[in-house]
Amino acid sequence: MPENLAASAGEEGSLTEVLLRHIGLHGPMSVETYWNLCLFHPRLGYYTRQDPIGEGGDFITAPEISQLFGEMIGIRLAEHWIAMGRPETVTLLECGPGRGTLMSDILRIAALVPGLTDALDIHFLETSPWLRGVQEKKLHPRHVTWHDDLSTVPHHAPLFVIGNEFLDVLPVRQFVCHNGAWHERVIRHDPESGFFFAVGGVVRGEGLPRAAQDGTIFESSPAREKVTLNLAARIRENGGLILMIDYGHISPRTGETMQAMRAHGYADILSGHGAVDLTSHVDFAAIEHALKEDGFQVRLKTQAAFLMDQGIMARATQLRNSVSDPAAQTKIDRALHRLLSTDQMGDLFKVMEVTL
Ligand code: SAH
């Protein structure tokens, strides 16, 4: 937990009051600190307070749309396990497992591959106590070990890491071009206008592009790069792979993508503290660059290309033939369209695979 969160954990009041107090004490707040407090405040943060996923939540994710998604991930993991010579034990770590659906779909595939189910030692990286409970029920009676961070995940076996819509949960920093130089974008407050974005101190280095037109915004996420590099360092120990799926871009770009989500729609970033989700496109180009500098292999595909390559069409046909109810068949077709088509998730979502 970042120190500033620990410091405000014991204080009373609403999250808005916590933010006001923080600005009062420390001055204008970086977007990164604002994001951390809004999502991860130990008592009042968005991910501490509620279950955000599914029809009744604020957003819906690929595993919740169709079992086909998790099954294709399962096939990819099985292929890699076989290619590694079927190691006796593999640590399978899921980052941000949500409702546990992806893992249970993976386990259905694993059961079809002799030896794989027994080889999998399952670990979850999950901060929300509420979702841990949901995951435990979903995976029962399968044994799972939960972790707050990577430090307690065992070192002895090859490591397979998966994470769907995990990276986008981690905070971004925003920079704004002002008078020909990059500045930290900050959040201030005054009694008349409430919370508002403002221009903070000048920033140099930090992988910033060349200065652009005034008002241009650039986002970077040291937190996302750090977590991916730490996971990659762990696969260097005994082999393995990382599969991260998220919405984002694979070529560098400027512009603001941060947004607030509530009840499947857009909300105001600067209000509804703790009740709205904050998210932004994942800059896979920056993560890929950092990983390659450390000598890792990185392959990036669109979600549609990945799912097609893993054989989603054949499995969808099989599934469709196994149900006789036309409504159930239509549901499969709709889900397929949602996962694959260009105007839905097919292009916007990317699958990043990292190996040695
Ligand atoms: N993968 C799931 C859920 C995505 S939502 C799905 O596709 O449906 C993000 C998940 O990450 C939630 O389970 C949330 O509680 C968890 N999470 C958020 N911040 C986290 C952090 N810093 N470390 C670990 N898990 C986190």
Side-chain angles (χ1 to χ4, degrees):
M1 190 195 305
E3 280 165 37
N4 52 359
L5 300 202
S8 39
E11 296 166 8
E12 294 303 315
S14 68
L15 190 53
T16 305
E17 285 163 346
V18 171
L19 294 166
L20 285 173
R21 210 156 36 229
H22 196 290
I23 291 176
L25 279 171
H26 306 285
M29 180 186 280
S30 72
V31 169
E32 189 178 41
T33 301
Y34 179 79
W35 181 306
N36 271 327
L37 285 168
C38 287
L39 296 199
F40 305 120
H41 183 280
R43 196 167 40 83
L44 305 162
Y46 178 79
Y47 277 105
T48 344
R49 276 178 39 179
Q50 63 238 308
D51 175 11
I53 311 156
E55 296 294 349
D58 292 315
F59 55 87
I60 187 147
T61 57
E64 304 298 329
I65 291 171
S66 168
Q67 69 185 76
L68 293 166
F69 178 81
E71 290 179 357
M72 297 305 115
I73 306 274
I75 292 172
R76 184 70 203 100
L77 298 179
E79 286 168 350
H80 201 75
W81 181 68
I82 293 166
M84 284 184 81
R86 302 174 192 258
E88 203 173 309
T89 308
V90 165
T91 304
L92 174 54
L93 172 69
E94 180 169 359
C95 303
R99 320 204 94 226
T101 311
L102 174 57
M103 186 58 82
S104 78
D105 292 337
I106 288 171
L107 291 176
R108 188 169 43 254
I109 292 297
L112 305 173
V113 184
L116 182 52
T117 302
D118 290 342
L120 295 176
D121 180 21
I122 301 175
H123 295 260
F124 282 165
L125 199 68
E126 176 60 72
T127 42
S128 154
W130 205 93
L131 283 174
R132 282 186 182 201
V134 177
Q135 293 152 14
E136 185 172 17
K137 274 204 199 107
K138 181 88 180 181
L139 272 294
H140 182 82
R142 183 81 200 205
H143 177 76
V144 175
T145 313
W146 281 268
H147 304 267
D148 292 325
D149 57 59
L150 195 57
S151 65
T152 47
V153 175
H155 286 264
H156 60 272
L159 179 66
F160 288 5
V161 183
I162 52 169
N164 185 61
E165 295 211 36
F166 167 69
L167 290 175
D168 77 84
V169 159
L170 304 176
V172 290
R173 278 177 81 176
Q174 285 190 332
F175 305 93
V176 54
C177 212
H178 181 67
N179 291 338
W182 290 107
H183 294 247
E184 187 93 32
R185 196 177 191 214
V186 293
I187 291 157
R188 299 177 57 179
H189 181 274
D190 73 40
E192 257 168 42
S193 15
F195 290 93
F196 62 96
F197 284 109
V199 177
V202 174
V203 182
R204 292 196 179 81
E206 308 276 350
L208 285 162
R210 284 215 314 207
Q213 214 183 351
D214 268 18
T216 305
I217 293 193
F218 179 74
E219 293 173 340
S220 80
S221 177
R224 293 174 190 168
E225 284 176 38
K226 188 171 160 209
V227 94
T228 317
L229 286 173
N230 286 343
L231 289 165
R234 294 292 299 271
I235 65 168
R236 197 169 259 149
E237 296 171 2
N238 301 294
L241 95 166
I242 303 173
L243 275 181
M244 285 288 175
I245 307 100
D246 226 305
Y247 69 124
H249 42 270
I250 50 186
S251 47
R253 63 174 68 159
T254 51
E256 180 174 25
T257 69
M258 180 174 170
Q259 60 198 31
M261 304 287 295
R262 185 175 205 169
H264 302 271
Y266 297 112
D268 177 19
I269 291 176
L270 296 179
S271 56
H273 307 120
V276 301
D277 186 22
L278 298 176
T279 174
S280 80
H281 285 204
V282 173
D283 183 352
F284 281 111
I287 296 176
E288 179 186 28
H289 180 74
L291 285 164
K292 284 190 167 163
E293 280 210 325
D294 275 9
F296 292 97
Q297 310 274 342
V298 183
R299 281 166 299 279
L300 277 160
K301 286 182 182 177
T302 63
Q303 176 169 298
F306 172 83
L307 294 175
M308 297 292 272
D309 290 351
Q310 292 305 129
I312 195 169
M313 295 318 272
R315 174 69 181 126
T317 305
Q318 193 187 42
L319 206 59
R320 205 186 290 110
N321 292 341
S322 72
V323 293
S324 49
D325 173 17
Q329 293 180 339
T330 308
K331 204 169 162 219
I332 296 169
D333 292 336
R334 281 221 186 100
L336 208 57
H337 178 73
R338 211 154 161 198
L339 293 177
L340 295 177
S341 74
T342 322
D343 60 349
Q344 301 270 318
M345 302 174 84
D347 258 3
L348 178 59
F349 280 73
K350 311 291 186 302
V351 180
M352 180 178 72
E353 181 172 315
V354 186
T355 50
L356 291 176

